[in-house]
């Protein structure tokens, strides 16, 4: 039989033709690294990535078969290492000293009776010319003293959690609810896993989202970093609760059919030495690049040396640990652009394809990301991996066999920026339906994407959410249903239209940040010196969306109905087709699967009997942003039917033989479903 070769990314994109050699060379480098890492080869000859990523089972603190404790650490520059803790009054005793066992590794065996569940400990590491306290690199439990604010490792040996539910399976078109546990409650405090499981998770299920993307799970010393300055990569942040409480949250989500994806940070590490990996054994470049390359100029953090085998094992084992220990369904990799380029993408416009394959690319990081995707999908074929990349590197979300790095999805990050630009820089009369269509659908055909109108970035203090940009201070006085305010009316209408346009044109998935679905009125501002260490804005006011007399409820109800409709009809399984982009009248109409989405962005004009080219047949109006239930004015009726006319329309897509006539009110979007 003739072997059918998979088409490579340069076979599908002619612009990549000149870089065929670079793409093939990249593919070969990844293959060589894969063989080198996978030293264990099974009887079938298949490379065993899962067997190559077990550092977390070797290093750190573990119970042995006879009940004793074994602790190991990799610190090749160390001259002496001690375990200090509550069990030995934090003294550097010879009986608690680790022994070198070769390869830069150190080990100590501790009788089981000497360590008890919950006890605190650290390492004292000495090196030529110095020494200091450190937390183990592979530590899985870290807690902070509420008074001194000092972090310590903690012996964690509870009764094993008993899982109730299986993972929910593959997500071809995920509807993602991005969230942060600590600010998930309404009280002014750090909320916990149990709070989220009881109070927020049921909301997520009711809204219709089928994937939970959780931020800030890896331990981080500064709460206000949103979890992106990680110190302990294997440790679940204890400020939200225990590992068992998090497992209960994941388990219950699975029982509701909701997948759980973790925001994983492998793009950099906090520069803190007492809590993190920086100068762990006195060497600056143990886990990180030497010199300036090892320091992120914008984030003040440390940059991993992805070319070092020990670092690759560390990070790959980290992926495996989180996936298996907590039954997660995948990862959203943060800061991928920063990883891919030596300049971290700072100040680069990425307008030239050569940028993606030139000397500015850190090919070590490229190789690591491909290996991580290979490992994750080998461990769990239904896993979801998402790349946060603003550079648009081709192949990032293409399969490895096609010359790609293997991510399932990439974030369509430019869409949110364009909504901000249109709201901020243009009057309503200047909005271009053609430009909106282009920016919402301008995605690589060979890669899958997740679209969003806004994520957590736009909700942070110093920026503004879409609702805040549209309504601003009027939110504080005129969100009562009985109030009359043109600014609020405009904001409510556009908020729904923007979300519908983004979700209905989404490449393969859609994302929303918690609370934005109902237009949460406050930005996010974590406790810090500048705000008096206040928790006032590090929370979500869910009660606003539950009050019948406030307009927030209408926005929430629309979002829920929109998500349920798009999911039930599997709308994202087909590509969207433009029917018309009327620049004069400000009307955008497109077809997706068996539905027509018609949006009139005109701020003042409604149009009777607006005709446009459409597929022939009978169409039922199933969703309207103008529905009074959603805070609209009821100018069209859900349930009404429209039949196309067998005549060619000069307006719109000339591939369509029929014309459909609709009433399109100003600042209104309607969805029509074809009746079989």
């Amino acid at each position: 039989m003739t072997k059918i070769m998979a088409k490579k990314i340069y076979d599908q994109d002619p612009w990549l033709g000149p870089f065929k050699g670079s793409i093939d060379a990249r593919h070969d480098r990844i293959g060589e690294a894969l063989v080198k890492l996978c030293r264990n080869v099974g009887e079938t000859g298949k490379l065993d990535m899962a067997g190559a990523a077990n550092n977390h089972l070797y290093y750190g603190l573990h119970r042995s078969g006879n009940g004793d404790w074994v602790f190991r650490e990799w610190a090749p520059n160390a001259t002496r290492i001690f375990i200090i803790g509550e069990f030995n009054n934090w003294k550097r005793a010879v009986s608690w000293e680790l022994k070198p066992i070769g390869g830069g590794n150190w080990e100590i065996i501790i009788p089981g009776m000497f360590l008890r569940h919950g006890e605190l400990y650290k390492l004292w590491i000495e090196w030529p010319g110095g020494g200091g306290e450190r937390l183990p690199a592979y530590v899985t439990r870290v807690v902070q003293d509420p008074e001194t604010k000092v972090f310590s490792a903690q012996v964690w040996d509870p009764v094993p959690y008993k899982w109730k539910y299986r993972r929910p399976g593959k997500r071809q078109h995920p509807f993602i609810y991005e969230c942060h546990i600590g600010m998930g409650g309404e009280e002014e405090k750090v909320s916990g896993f149990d709070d989220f499981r009881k109070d927020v998770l049921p909301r997520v299920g009711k809204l219709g989202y089928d994937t939970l993307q959780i931020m800030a799970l890896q331990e981080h010393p500064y709460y206000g970093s949103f979890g992106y300055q990680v110190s302990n990569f294997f440790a679940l942040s204890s400020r939200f609760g225990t590992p068992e409480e998090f497992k209960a949250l994941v388990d219950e989500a699975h029982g509701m059919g909701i997948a759980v994806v973790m925001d994983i940070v492998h793009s950099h590490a906090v520069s803190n030495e007492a809590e993190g990996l920086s100068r762990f054994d006195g060497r600056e470049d143990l886990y990180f690049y030497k010199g300036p390359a090892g320091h992120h100029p914008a984030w003040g953090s440390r940059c991993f040396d992805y070319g070092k085998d020990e670092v690759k094992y560390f990070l790959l084992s980290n992926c495996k640990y989180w996936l298996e220990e907590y039954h997660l369904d995948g990862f959203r990799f943060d800061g991928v652009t920063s990883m891919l380029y030596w300049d971290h993408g700072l100040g680069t416009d990425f307008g030239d394809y050569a940028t993606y394959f030139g000397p500015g690319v850190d090919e070590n990081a490229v190789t690591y990301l491909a290996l991580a995707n290979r490992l994750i999908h080998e461990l769990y074929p239904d896993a979801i991996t998402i790349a946060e990349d603003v550079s648009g590197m081709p192949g990032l979300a293409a399969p490895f066999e096609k010359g790609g790095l293997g991510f399932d999805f990439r974030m369509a990050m430019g869409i949110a920026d364009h909504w901000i630009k249109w709201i901020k820089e243009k009057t309503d009369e200047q909005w271009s339906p053609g430009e909106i269509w282009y920016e919402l659908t301008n995605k690589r055909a060979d890669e899958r994407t997740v679209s969003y109108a806004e994520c957590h970035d736009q909700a942070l203090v110093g920026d503004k959410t879409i609702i805040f940009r549209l309504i601003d201070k009027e939110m504080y006085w005129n969100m009562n249903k009985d109030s009359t305010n043109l600014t609020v009316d405009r904001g409510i209408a556009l908020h729904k239209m923007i979300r519908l346009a983004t979700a209905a044109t989404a490449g393969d998935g859609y994302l929303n940040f918690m609370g934005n679905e109902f237009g949460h009125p406050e930005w996010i501002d974590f406790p810090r010196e500048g705000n008096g260490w206040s928790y006032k804005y590090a929370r979500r006011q869910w009660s606003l969306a539950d009050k019948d007399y406030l307009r927030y409820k209408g926005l929430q109800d629309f979002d829920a109905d929109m998500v349920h409709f798009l999911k039930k009809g599997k709308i994202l399984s087909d590509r969207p087709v433009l029917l018309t982009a009327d620049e004069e009248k400000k009307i955008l109409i497109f077809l997706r699967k068996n539905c027509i989405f018609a949006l009139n962005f005109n701020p003042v004009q409604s149009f009777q009997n607006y005709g446009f080219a459409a597929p022939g047949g009978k169409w039922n109006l199933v969703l309207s942003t103008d529905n009074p239930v959603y805070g609209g004015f009821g100018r069209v009726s859900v349930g009404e039917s429209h039949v196309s006319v067998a005549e060619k329309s000069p307006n719109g897509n000339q591939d369509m033989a029929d014309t459909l006539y609709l009433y399109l009110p100003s600042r209104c979007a309607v969805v029509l479903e074809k009746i079989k």
Side-chain angles (χ1 to χ4, degrees), residues 596-663:
I596 289 175
F597 298 82
L599 301 95
N600 179 8
F601 287 100
N602 198 300
V604 293
Q605 283 187 284
S606 300
F607 300 97
Q608 292 277 3
N609 294 320
Y610 182 85
F612 59 95
K618 188 175 182 180
W619 300 84
N620 191 33
L621 200 155
V622 293
L623 186 66
S624 167
T625 62
D626 202 48
N627 193 323
V629 174
Y630 310 138
F633 297 100
R635 292 168 290 177
V636 293
S637 300
V638 172
E640 64 185 29
S641 297
H642 300 266
V643 181
S644 65
V645 178
E647 62 183 31
K648 193 81 171 178
S649 173
N651 186 17
N653 193 319
Q654 294 305 295
D655 292 335
M656 304 296 169
D658 283 31
T659 298
L660 191 64
Y661 291 92
L662 298 177
Y663 170 49

Side-chain angles (χ1 to χ4, degrees), residues 84-137:
I84 57 175
E86 293 180 314
F87 38 79
N88 62 11
N89 294 317
W90 302 95
K91 302 296 184 183
R92 284 172 261 163
V94 174
S95 57
W96 291 89
E97 183 175 359
L98 279 69
K99 306 300 181 186
I101 56 175
N105 296 311
W106 299 73
E107 180 184 83
I108 185 173
I109 298 175
I110 305 165
M113 68 185 77
F114 289 168
L115 289 184
R116 290 174 294 187
H117 174 68
E119 288 186 308
L120 304 181
Y121 71 99
K122 292 185 181 184
L123 299 180
W124 175 270
I125 301 181
E126 296 179 2
W127 55 80
E133 291 184 352
R134 295 290 187 265
L135 298 183

Side-chain angles (χ1 to χ4, degrees), residues 433 437 577-582 586-592 595-601 610-614 651-653 660 662 664 670 672:
W437 170 258
V577 177
L578 179 65
L579 295 181
T580 186
D582 191 327
K586 306 302 177 188
I587 291 172
L588 173 64
I589 304 176
F590 58 91
L591 174 73
R592 191 157 198 185
C595 293
I596 289 175
F597 298 82
L599 301 95
N600 179 8
F601 287 100
Y610 182 85
F612 59 95
N651 186 17
N653 193 319
L660 191 64
L662 298 177
L664 297 178
V670 296
L672 298 101

Side-chain angles (χ1 to χ4, degrees), residues 14 102 125 139 144 152 167 177 234 248 258 271 285 298 318 337 381 399 441-442 484 521 547 644 646 652 674:
I125 301 181
V139 64
Q144 185 178 27
S152 298
R167 291 181 170 104
Y177 200 77
F234 291 82
I258 298 173
S271 59
D285 61 342
N318 193 237
T337 306
T441 60
N442 182 26
T484 302
K547 292 181 169 64
S644 65
K674 192 170 186 178

Side-chain angles (χ1 to χ4, degrees), residues 6-253:
K7 276 194 172 185
K8 295 295 182 73
I9 56 175
Y10 47 70
D11 295 323
Q12 298 171 286
D13 183 353
W15 290 97
L16 290 175
F19 307 100
K20 178 180 182 297
S22 298
I23 294 169
D24 287 341
R26 176 176 290 175
H27 190 272
D28 291 341
R29 275 194 298 272
I30 296 167
E32 290 168 3
L34 178 62
V35 172
K36 183 179 179 183
L37 284 171
C38 300
R39 296 188 177 94
N40 299 319
V41 180
E43 293 179 3
T44 62
K46 182 180 178 181
L47 293 173
D48 179 18
M49 275 219 74
N54 285 323
N55 274 25
H56 57 292
L57 301 178
Y58 180 79
Y59 295 108
L61 185 65
H62 301 280
R63 279 277 196 184
S64 64
N66 62 5
D68 291 340
W69 293 93
V70 178
F71 179 86
R72 301 185 187 94
E73 192 63 77
W74 178 61
N77 194 49
T79 55
R80 299 183 78 182
I81 302 179
F82 299 87
I83 287 187
I84 57 175
E86 293 180 314
F87 38 79
N88 62 11
N89 294 317
W90 302 95
K91 302 296 184 183
R92 284 172 261 163
V94 174
S95 57
W96 291 89
E97 183 175 359
L98 279 69
K99 306 300 181 186
I101 56 175
N105 296 311
W106 299 73
E107 180 184 83
I108 185 173
I109 298 175
I110 305 165
M113 68 185 77
F114 289 168
L115 289 184
R116 290 174 294 187
H117 174 68
E119 288 186 308
L120 304 181
Y121 71 99
K122 292 185 181 184
L123 299 180
W124 175 270
I125 301 181
E126 296 179 2
W127 55 80
E133 291 184 352
R134 295 290 187 265
L135 298 183
Y138 288 81
V139 64
T140 58
R141 176 71 176 171
V142 171
V143 294
Q144 185 178 27
D145 187 284
E147 300 297 328
T148 66
K149 306 302 180 184
V150 172
F151 286 87
S152 298
Q154 187 176 39
V155 177
W156 200 252
D157 188 31
V159 175
Y161 180 83
K162 293 184 178 179
W163 295 91
K164 302 173 186 175
Y165 303 104
R166 294 180 179 180
R167 291 181 170 104
K170 192 74 174 176
R171 290 286 180 271
Q172 291 289 348
H173 303 286
F175 284 82
I176 303 170
Y177 200 77
E178 183 187 30
C179 62
H180 184 284
I181 299 297
M183 56 170 288
E186 190 146 359
E187 294 182 55
E188 296 181 23
K189 66 171 188 176
V190 178
S191 292
F193 296 124
D194 280 349
D195 298 321
F196 193 96
R197 178 176 56 82
K198 295 172 184 176
D199 301 330
V200 184
L201 189 60
R203 289 181 173 273
V204 178
K206 189 175 180 180
L207 285 167
Y209 291 89
D210 60 17
T211 304
L212 199 64
Q213 181 179 303
I214 308 180
M215 310 169 64
L217 289 175
Q218 293 168 294
E219 190 60 87
H220 47 289
Y222 178 47
Y223 187 46
S225 75
F226 231 144
Y228 292 129
Q229 293 266 350
V230 173
S231 51
N232 314 107
F233 287 79
F234 291 82
L236 181 74
S237 181
S238 61
R239 55 171 58 87
F240 307 132
T242 67
E244 288 64 47
E245 288 169 340
F246 179 54
K247 289 175 182 179
L249 166 58
V250 174
D251 207 8
E252 193 158 322

Side-chain angles (χ1 to χ4, degrees), residues 455-567:
C455 67
H456 71 271
D457 288 330
Q458 289 74 39
L460 287 167
V461 65
D463 205 337
K464 287 185 177 182
T465 59
I466 285 175
I467 199 71
F468 227 156
R469 288 186 183 279
L470 292 169
I471 300 179
D472 207 73
K473 63 181 183 297
E474 300 297 331
M475 292 190 70
Y476 296 115
W477 316 107
N478 294 289
M479 289 298 282
N480 190 300
K481 287 182 179 179
D482 296 332
S483 65
T484 302
N485 186 286
L486 294 177
T487 299
V488 173
D489 288 345
R490 169 183 178 265
I492 293 292
L494 288 178
H495 192 269
K496 290 175 286 186
M497 293 181 71
I498 287 169
R499 296 183 119 61
L500 179 62
T502 305
T505 58
D508 300 274
Y510 175 72
L511 176 142
N512 166 65
F513 179 68
M514 66 175 186
N516 285 357
E517 70 277 359
F518 68 82
H520 196 282
E522 295 178 347
W523 53 78
I524 300 163
D525 191 7
F526 285 98
R528 55 187 173 85
E529 189 175 0
N531 65 16
W533 302 102
S534 170
Y535 287 91
K536 182 178 181 180
Y537 297 107
R539 60 183 181 134
R540 299 281 89 177
Q541 298 184 68
W542 304 107
S543 59
L544 294 175
D546 296 334
K547 292 181 169 64
D548 288 328
Y549 60 84
L550 294 178
R551 300 194 189 200
Y552 298 105
K553 188 176 189 302
L555 294 177
Q556 177 178 261
D557 291 345
F558 171 76
D559 195 84
D561 288 350
M562 176 189 76
V563 169
H564 280 289
F565 174 76
L566 295 174
K567 274 179 53 185

